[in-house]
Amino acid sequence: MDTSFLKNFSLEGKTAWITGASYGLGLAYAIAFAQSGAKIVFNDINQELVDKGMAEYEKLGIDAFGAVCDVTKEDQVLDFVKKAEAAKGPIDILVNNAGIIKRIPMTEMTVDQWNQVIDVDLTGPFICSKAVLPGMIERKGGKIINACSMMSELGRETVSAYAAAKGGLKMLTKNICSEYGQFNIQCNAIGPGYIATPQTAPLREKQADGSMHPFDRFIRSKTPAQRWGKTEDLMGLAVFLASPASDFINGQVIYIDGGILAYIGQDPGNLDPSKFEDEE
């Protein structure tokens, strides 16, 4: 059987930069890329997080380059790119993963808090993309993957700045496609649903009386898959969007949400908690 087509999914010889990849989804993307043959470079906001990430990569046998870099500071980003490319070669793949959220009612949010979210979640991807695009243009190819969200499509109480930033990031994705597609550069985005991570674990814990956490019940009732996503659910799409297999896909946001955006939901009271007892 001829399997030569599968080479289109290989990242062999490519260098991938994942911002904020010391842990969580960024780390998952980096692991998937490394297993597909890519060299990994990453940054984070402070040395403690970079050291944490490096320790994890070393444990996994991944020879990564990591350094402190604030994605909202253009001088730091340009310096990081220079050092990363000296260490691992020209950046072929950029994943704008670094992000923050502040859950504050809009009328209580200060302008400084608003600006901080916009700066990290929207201006950061602009700065990082701007830093790697010239090299991609020169080499006639590159992949940029933005971390969108269901809040790129939906609103929710207390996340006005986050939703505004992620909605803006969706449109930045489309505009990078529009401006630079002619140079064989593809810019797409991944929109994760609710993912089971250590950070979201408290929202899935059983209550003292043995009942489901109210938010866990809410999410399952709104999701056709009736489960939270796993980091592994995101890895395949990330590799696909970073690989030659996606060379004619551009300007798209692909949601990995178990169907939540396609579904009006059901009455949370109809869920049978016993179905989920064996899940982590």
Side-chain angles (χ1 to χ4, degrees), residues 13-274:
K14 303 294 186 181
T15 298
W17 172 22
I18 306 96
T19 67
S22 297
Y23 62 96
L25 300 186
L27 176 63
Y29 296 142
I31 292 170
F33 290 165
Q35 291 179 355
S36 299
K39 294 171 285 185
I40 303 300
V41 302
F42 77 99
N43 69 288
D44 223 311
I45 192 67
N46 59 49
Q47 191 62 51
E48 182 181 358
L49 285 172
V50 171
D51 291 345
K52 176 182 178 180
M54 287 299 296
E56 190 65 30
Y57 288 117
E58 289 173 8
K59 185 169 69 175
L60 294 167
I62 297 172
D63 181 19
F65 170 85
V68 174
C69 171
D70 182 342
V71 297
T72 71
K73 309 296 184 185
E74 189 169 20
D75 58 339
Q76 292 187 30
V77 169
L78 292 172
D79 184 61
F80 174 86
V81 170
K82 182 179 179 180
K83 291 176 179 177
E85 292 194 332
K88 296 295 183 181
I91 292 170
D92 305 289
I93 303 156
L94 165 64
V95 181
N96 284 310
N97 168 75
I100 62 171
I101 187 170
K102 290 184 179 295
R103 301 183 184 278
I104 304 169
M106 183 173 167
T107 56
E108 299 174 17
M109 176 173 271
T110 67
V111 172
D112 285 345
Q113 290 169 330
W114 167 276
N115 286 337
Q116 186 181 4
V117 176
I118 299 297
D119 283 351
V120 176
D121 293 0
L122 182 55
T123 306
F126 164 75
I127 292 172
C128 294
S129 298
K130 181 184 173 187
V132 300
L133 276 166
M136 292 179 174
I137 292 169
E138 183 179 346
R139 295 188 298 275
K140 296 290 193 295
K143 303 281 187 175
I144 297 175
I145 303 171
N146 290 326
C148 280
S149 162
M150 289 191 299
M151 298 302 106
S152 299
E153 303 290 342
L154 301 173
R156 193 160 188 268
E157 62 275 7
T158 76
V159 294
S160 57
Y162 182 80
K166 293 300 183 179
L169 188 57
K170 176 178 71 171
M171 294 311 301
L172 180 62
T173 300
K174 293 179 182 294
N175 211 77
I176 292 173
C177 157
S178 301
E179 287 199 56
Y180 301 107
Q182 62 183 305
F183 300 105
N184 188 34
I185 295 168
Q186 292 82 48
C187 182
N188 295 291
I190 297 176
Y194 287 90
I195 308 300
T197 65
Q199 288 74 28
T200 61
L203 300 175
R204 301 188 308 279
E205 290 179 352
K206 288 287 192 294
Q207 301 299 282
D209 62 1
S211 64
M212 296 173 67
H213 189 290
F215 193 76
D216 186 21
R217 181 182 287 275
F218 170 75
I219 292 304
R220 292 178 189 272
S221 71
K222 299 297 182 184
T223 309
Q226 292 194 1
R227 70 172 176 87
W228 290 61
K230 300 174 288 186
T231 54
E232 292 84 355
D233 291 322
L234 306 176
M235 294 165 77
L237 177 60
V239 170
F240 171 64
L241 292 179
S243 76
S246 63
D247 278 357
F248 205 55
I249 298 175
N250 213 349
Q252 303 300 310
V253 183
I254 303 175
Y255 294 96
I256 304 183
D257 63 356
I260 194 169
L261 285 173
Y263 185 45
I264 196 170
Q266 62 169 294
D267 183 345
N270 291 336
L271 290 181
D272 178 4
S274 65

